[in-house]
């Protein structure tokens, strides 16, 4: 199973920007980002298949977040702009898709340890 190592995250004021990165230990057919706030279910944020130019985004982040992938290095980035307090959550990298619904947590076999993003108002 591929191993995932996340970096980035932290605390920022509303309107600010952060970048997350996730490095996979080997090839994976897709990579993506999910988030989970306390007391909430894990939700898909942005995902992309290997070799695809068509990412998937949650409606809540469209126009503010961008997912990008470096296939040669097995790295996926999440550029987060115009952050809002409601973006505060633990963000998880996911890989190794086993189903078609790429924004569903159940579609992934591999998960990172998570990195905290906190946005203050």
């Amino acid at each position: 199973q591929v191993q995932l190592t996340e970096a980035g995250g932290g605390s920022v004021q509303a309107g600010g920007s952060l970048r997350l990165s996730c490095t996979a230990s080997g090839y994976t057919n897709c990579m993506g980002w999910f988030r989970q706030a306390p007391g909430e279910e894990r939700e898909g944020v942005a995902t992309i298949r290997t070799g695809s130019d068509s990412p998937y985004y949650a409606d809540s982040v469209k126009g503010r977040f961008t997912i990008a992938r470096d296939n040669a290095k097995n790295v996926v980035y999440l550029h987060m702009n115009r952050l809002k307090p409601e973006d505060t959550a633990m963000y998880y990298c996911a890989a190794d898709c086993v189903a078609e619904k790429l924004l569903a947590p159940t579609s992934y076999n591999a998960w990172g340890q998570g990195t905290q993003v906190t946005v203050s108002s």
Side-chain angles (χ1 to χ4, degrees), residues 15-18 35 57-66 78-87 91 119:
S17 299
L18 285 173
R35 66 186 181 187
Y57 293 100
D59 288 342
S60 59
V61 305
K62 284 180 180 177
R64 301 187 299 120
F65 291 12
T66 302
L78 185 66
H79 300 271
M80 304 183 291
N81 297 315
R82 303 201 309 274
L83 283 159
K84 303 176 182 180
E86 50 263 46
D87 294 317
Y91 282 69
V119 184

Side-chain angles (χ1 to χ4, degrees), residues 6 34 48 53-54 85 116 119:
E6 297 144 336
F34 289 74
I48 189 167
D53 293 327
S54 300
Q116 179 68 36
V119 184

Side-chain angles (χ1 to χ4, degrees), residues 62-121:
K62 284 180 180 177
R64 301 187 299 120
F65 291 12
T66 302
I67 188 170
R69 184 166 177 179
D70 184 335
N71 291 322
K73 297 180 179 179
N74 292 324
V75 177
V76 67
Y77 303 96
L78 185 66
H79 300 271
M80 304 183 291
N81 297 315
R82 303 201 309 274
L83 283 159
K84 303 176 182 180
E86 50 263 46
D87 294 317
T88 295
M90 185 71 78
Y91 282 69
Y92 296 90
C93 179
D96 190 15
C97 298
V98 295
E100 293 299 315
K101 295 182 178 179
L102 296 189
L103 288 176
T106 53
S107 295
Y108 295 80
N109 264 345
W111 292 89
Q113 77 283 359
T115 185
Q116 179 68 36
V117 171
T118 302
V119 184
S120 58
S121 57

